Amino acid sequence: MAPSANAPAQADAKANPLDSLIAMVADDLKAVNRTIVEQMQSPVALIPQLAGHLVAAGGKRLRPVLTLATARLCGYEGAGHVLVATCVEFIHTATLLHDDVVDDSKLRRGRESANAIWGNEPSVLVGDFLFSRAFEMLVDHGDLPTMRLLSRACATLSEGEVMQLLTANDIETTRDAYLDVIRGKTAALFAAAARAGGMVAQRPEAELNALSTYGMNLGTAFQVVDDTLDYSAEQAALGKEVGDDFRDGKVTLPAILAIERGSDEERAFWQRCLGDQDIHDGDLEHAMELMRRHNALDDAQAQARAYVEEARQALEVFPDNPMRRILLDVADFSLERAF
Amino acid sequence: MAPSANAPAQADAKANPLDSLIAMVADDLKAVNRTIVEQMQSPVALIPQLAGHLVAAGGKRLRPVLTLATARLCGYEGAGHVLVATCVEFIHTATLLHDDVVDDSKLRRGRESANAIWGNEPSVLVGDFLFSRAFEMLVDHGDLPTMRLLSRACATLSEGEVMQLLTANDIETTRDAYLDVIRGKTAALFAAAARAGGMVAQRPEAELNALSTYGMNLGTAFQVVDDTLDYSAEQAALGKEVGDDFRDGKVTLPAILAIERGSDEERAFWQRCLGDQDIHDGDLEHAMELMRRHNALDDAQAQARAYVEEARQALEVFPDNPMRRILLDVADFSLERAF
C-alpha cells in the first residue's frame, strides 16, 4: 500500500525512523532549540560563542528528543518537558566539550572542535558553565526527583569516562569492563533522558523503569554499533573517519572479540597497536581483516541486536500508539546506521 | 591581661584569627571531613584516589568553614550545614582540578598537582564527578534556594575563569575588568558559602544579604592580597613561589596600577613581559622595582583594606558575640598574610 498523504510520519518511518521521531516532536524541539540559545547567554561573550559553535553544528539532538518523545508517549500535554530536555542537551554538550579535551580531538560533528579553535582552557570552563546552567534550570523546574536523576546521571557519566581512560591500551579488557564503560559514558544519559520524559508526565514507577530500560539498552546498542562502525570500511562513505578508536588505543567490543579469538601472534599485534600505540601503515587494514576472520564485527552487531530487543520489550508496558511504534522502529534503526 | 586557660579561642585569636575560627567549628569541620571522604567514594578507584590526593593535601577549608561559621553565627544548632559545607568544598575542589588543567600547574598546596601526576584527562573528569556529586548531595539536602544559590555560584565561577583567560596578556585590562574577574573566580563562592550558612539557619533576607556581602568582600580582599603577594619578596619566606602571575601573563591589580602610572618605556616592558610573555632573567625583579616605585603594592593593599572594611560593616546586623568577633578578626587577618 502506498503511503497516504495524511500519514507522513509513517511514510517517513519506512525511510528513516529517527527523522520521523524528530518530525513527531518538531514543535517541542523548536522550543528546546530556542531555550538552548536563551540559556547559554552570558555577559562573557566567549561562552555563547563557543557553546554556540557546537550547538550550531547540529547533531540529531537524540537525547533531548528522547525526553520529548517519552513525555508524549506518557500522554503529557504541558510544556515542562522542554526545560528538562534542554538540560539533558546541556549536560551532553558539556561532556562533548570535555571529551574533546580529554581525547585531544580536532573534529566534532564534521567541524573543527571547540578545543581546536579556542584551546583546551575555554572548552573546560564553558563545559563547566553548561553543567552549572543545567542545574540552575533544573532548580527552576523545581522537581527534586528529576534533579536527583540527572545529577546521578552526570556522576555516572564521569565515572564511565574515567573507566574508559583506565581500560585504554589494556588488551586484557573484558567484555564486562567494556560494558561498564559504555553504560556509564553513553547509555546512562540515554536512560535518564528517557526516564525524565515519564517523570514530567508523573507516571508510576513501573513505567519509569520501563523507560530507563528502553533508554539504557538503546544507548548501549547505539554505542556498540558506533564502536563497530569505527572498523567498518563502509563508514568512510558516510563522511566519518574510520579507525579513531584503533589509533586512540580504545579497547572496544569488536577488538575484544578479535583478541579473545586470536592466535598468540595476533595478540602481539593487538598489544603493539592498541597497547603500545605503535601503529604503522597497513595496521588498521590488518586489524579489520582479523575482525572479519574472527567474525568480530558481525558478533558485535548481534550483541547490539540483543540490546535492541531488550529496549523494544521494555516498551510493552505502554499501549500501542504511533509514538510507541516510532520508538520501537528507532531501536531497530540504531542497528542500521550511525546517528 | 594574660589569656586564661579556659578561653583558648580568644588567646589563639591574637595569634591567628583563622585558626581560632577553625577551632570554634572544629567538631563540625571533622564531620565535613568525614562526609568528604564518604561522598567521594566511587566503584572507579581512581576517582577517590585522585580527589583524595587534593583533599589530603589540606588547605584551610576556608570556604566550608565560612558556611559552618555563619550557620553558628545565625544560631543554627542542627547538622544540616555539614552537607552544604561539604558541597561547597567539592565545588571548590572541582574548580581547583580544572584550574590546574587550564593553567597547566605543576604544584598545588605544596604538592605535585593531580594533573602533573595523572595527566589532564582524569583531572577534568574527576572535577566533573565532584561537581555532579555536589549536586546529588544538594538534592539530598532538599532545599531549593540553596541549590539555586550554589548552581548560580558555579556558573559565575566559570564565567570569572573565562574572563580571566580573556584578560590574560592584555595590559589594557581595566581595574573594573580585574574586579569582575576576581569577584567571579573567587569572591562569588565565598559569598555563596557565607550565605549558605544563614540559609540553613533559615534567617531573613536582610541577614542573608549581609552574609553575602561579608563573603563577597572577604573573598575580594583575599584575592587582591593573593595577587599582591605574588609580587612580594617576603612571600618567598612562606614557601610559595613568587611571580607565577607574572610568568603566566595574568594582569592583576598591582600590575594594572604600575602600568597606569608608568612611562611609555615601562609600558613597553609590561607589554613584552605580560603581553608577549617574552621574559628574561631580571625581569621579575624589575617588575617588582617598578611596583615599589609607583606604590602599586601598597595601593593594592589599601584597596584590599577597603574591601575588608565593607566585609566588617556587613556583620553589624548581627549581635555582638564570639563568632561575630572572630569573623571580624578573620577579615582583618586576610590583609596580614595569605591563607
Side-chain angles (χ1 to χ4, degrees):
Chain A
M1 193 181 87
S4 73
N6 55 8
Q10 281 173 306
D12 285 356
K14 284 179 188 156
N16 179 340
L18 181 58
D19 288 341
S20 300
L21 178 62
I22 291 169
M24 283 181 81
V25 298
D27 288 343
D28 292 345
L29 190 54
K30 273 185 204 152
V32 166
N33 286 334
R34 279 194 302 271
T35 311
I36 287 174
V37 171
E38 275 164 33
Q39 293 288 335
M40 73 186 185
Q41 292 313 311
S42 159
V44 184
L46 179 58
I47 291 176
Q49 197 181 345
L50 192 153
H53 172 79
L54 193 55
V55 167
K60 293 283 190 186
R61 306 248 194 279
L62 189 51
R63 293 156 188 81
V65 163
L66 266 183
T67 303
L68 299 174
T70 55
R72 296 306 185 198
L73 175 72
C74 291
Y76 182 67
E77 295 188 347
H81 61 334
V82 168
L83 201 68
V84 177
T86 305
C87 288
V88 167
E89 184 66 2
F90 271 29
I91 291 167
H92 177 56
T93 306
T95 61
L96 293 186
L97 285 171
H98 287 183
D99 279 3
D100 284 344
V101 170
V102 166
D103 290 345
D104 197 20
S105 305
K106 300 298 175 217
L107 284 176
R108 166 68 69 184
R109 292 177 178 164
R111 302 174 64 175
E112 255 192 302
S113 64
N115 51 311
I117 299 175
W118 288 281
N120 285 341
E121 300 89 343
S123 292
V124 171
L125 299 172
V126 174
D128 291 349
F129 176 84
L130 292 175
F131 272 132
S132 308
R133 184 51 56 88
F135 285 109
E136 282 191 271
M137 291 164 62
L138 282 174
V139 174
D140 287 338
H141 180 63
D143 181 56
L144 279 174
T146 305
M147 285 182 231
R148 181 168 288 118
L149 174 76
L150 289 176
S151 55
R152 184 85 278 274
C154 284
T156 305
L157 265 169
S158 47
E159 288 176 323
E161 296 275 358
V162 174
M163 270 190 282
Q164 176 168 269
L165 286 178
L166 296 173
T167 60
N169 305 121
D170 178 6
I171 68 163
E172 310 274 343
T173 302
T174 63
R175 296 186 204 195
D176 280 351
Y178 165 78
L179 201 58
D180 283 346
V181 168
I182 67 172
R183 279 189 179 138
K185 75 166 189 167
T186 306
L189 190 56
F190 276 72
R195 188 184 187 94
M199 288 171 81
V200 176
Q202 301 189 285
R203 302 304 302 166
E205 193 71 9
E207 291 184 20
L208 300 183
N209 289 341
L211 292 173
S212 292
T213 304
Y214 173 79
M216 181 62 83
N217 283 286
L218 177 66
T220 308
F222 173 85
Q223 188 61 54
V224 170
V225 169
D226 209 57
D227 293 343
T228 305
L229 286 166
D230 200 66
Y231 287 100
S232 104
E234 294 81 0
Q235 183 65 355
L238 295 173
K240 280 175 70 178
E241 227 180 332
V242 170
D244 275 348
D245 293 342
F246 184 70
R247 283 182 290 272
D248 290 345
K250 285 185 187 159
V251 184
T252 58
L253 186 56
I256 291 171
L257 294 173
I259 295 165
E260 276 179 4
R261 299 163 184 183
S263 64
D264 285 354
E265 188 189 342
E266 288 171 27
R267 194 177 180 78
F269 165 80
W270 290 111
Q271 176 57 39
R272 173 171 64 75
C273 296
L274 294 179
D276 310 330
Q277 283 184 263
D278 172 21
I279 296 175
H280 306 285
D281 279 356
D283 280 343
L284 176 61
E285 290 69 23
H286 184 56
M288 290 160 73
E289 165 54 28
L290 292 179
M291 285 181 179
R292 271 190 297 273
R293 189 183 303 168
H294 295 299
N295 241 4
L297 293 172
D298 288 348
D299 285 358
Q301 189 77 3
Q303 189 66 59
R305 195 169 297 117
Y307 294 122
V308 165
E309 206 38 59
E310 283 194 58
R312 292 179 54 97
Q313 276 172 19
L315 293 189
E316 281 179 9
V317 302
F318 297 97
D320 179 44
N321 64 35
M323 185 59 90
R324 193 183 84 145
R325 265 170 268 152
I326 291 283
L327 287 168
L328 292 171
D329 288 347
V330 163
D332 285 328
F333 179 63
S334 72
L335 297 172
E336 288 172 39
R337 49 167 293 162
F339 52 83
Chain B
M1 193 181 87
S4 74
N6 56 8
Q10 280 171 306
D12 285 354
K14 284 181 187 152
N16 178 340
L18 181 58
D19 287 341
S20 301
L21 177 62
I22 290 168
M24 284 181 81
V25 298
D27 288 342
D28 292 344
L29 190 54
K30 272 184 205 152
V32 167
N33 286 334
R34 278 195 303 273
T35 312
I36 286 174
V37 172
E38 276 164 31
Q39 292 289 334
M40 73 186 185
Q41 293 313 311
S42 160
V44 184
L46 179 58
I47 291 176
Q49 196 180 345
L50 192 153
H53 171 79
L54 193 56
V55 167
K60 292 283 188 187
R61 305 246 195 280
L62 188 52
R63 293 156 189 80
V65 163
L66 267 184
T67 303
L68 299 174
T70 56
R72 296 305 185 199
L73 175 72
C74 291
Y76 182 68
E77 296 187 347
H81 61 335
V82 167
L83 200 67
V84 177
T86 305
C87 289
V88 167
E89 184 67 1
F90 271 29
I91 290 168
H92 177 57
T93 306
T95 63
L96 293 185
L97 285 171
H98 286 183
D99 280 3
D100 284 345
V101 170
V102 166
D103 291 346
D104 198 21
S105 305
K106 301 298 175 215
L107 284 175
R108 166 68 69 183
R109 291 176 177 165
R111 301 175 65 177
E112 254 192 302
S113 62
N115 51 310
I117 300 175
W118 288 282
N120 285 341
E121 298 88 344
S123 292
V124 171
L125 298 171
V126 174
D128 291 349
F129 177 83
L130 292 175
F131 271 131
S132 308
R133 184 50 58 88
F135 285 108
E136 282 190 270
M137 290 164 64
L138 282 173
V139 174
D140 287 339
H141 180 63
D143 181 55
L144 278 174
T146 306
M147 285 181 231
R148 181 169 288 120
L149 175 76
L150 289 176
S151 56
R152 182 85 277 273
C154 284
T156 304
L157 266 169
S158 48
E159 288 176 322
E161 296 275 358
V162 174
M163 271 190 283
Q164 176 167 270
L165 286 178
L166 296 173
T167 59
N169 306 121
D170 179 5
I171 68 163
E172 310 274 343
T173 302
T174 63
R175 297 185 202 196
D176 280 350
Y178 166 77
L179 202 57
D180 283 345
V181 168
I182 68 171
R183 280 189 178 138
K185 75 167 190 167
T186 306
L189 190 57
F190 275 72
R195 187 185 187 93
M199 288 171 80
V200 175
Q202 300 188 288
R203 302 305 302 165
E205 192 71 8
E207 291 184 20
L208 300 183
N209 289 341
L211 292 172
S212 292
T213 303
Y214 173 79
M216 180 63 82
N217 282 286
L218 177 66
T220 308
F222 173 85
Q223 188 61 55
V224 170
V225 170
D226 208 59
D227 292 344
T228 304
L229 287 165
D230 200 67
Y231 286 100
S232 105
E234 293 83 359
Q235 183 65 356
L238 295 174
K240 278 175 69 177
E241 226 179 333
V242 171
D244 274 350
D245 293 342
F246 184 71
R247 283 182 289 274
D248 290 345
K250 284 185 189 161
V251 184
T252 58
L253 187 57
I256 291 170
L257 294 173
I259 294 166
E260 276 178 2
R261 297 162 184 183
S263 63
D264 284 353
E265 189 188 342
E266 287 170 28
R267 194 178 180 76
F269 165 80
W270 291 111
Q271 176 57 39
R272 172 171 64 76
C273 295
L274 294 179
D276 309 332
Q277 282 184 263
D278 172 20
I279 297 175
H280 306 286
D281 279 357
D283 281 342
L284 176 61
E285 292 68 22
H286 185 56
M288 289 161 73
E289 165 54 27
L290 292 179
M291 285 180 180
R292 274 191 294 274
R293 189 183 303 168
H294 295 299
N295 242 5
L297 292 173
D298 288 348
D299 287 358
Q301 189 77 2
Q303 188 66 59
R305 196 171 297 118
Y307 293 121
V308 164
E309 206 37 61
E310 283 194 58
R312 291 179 55 97
Q313 277 171 19
L315 292 189
E316 282 180 9
V317 303
F318 297 98
D320 179 45
N321 64 36
M323 185 58 89
R324 193 183 83 144
R325 265 170 268 152
I326 291 283
L327 287 169
L328 292 171
D329 289 346
V330 163
D332 284 329
F333 179 63
S334 71
L335 297 172
E336 288 170 39
R337 50 166 292 160
F339 52 83

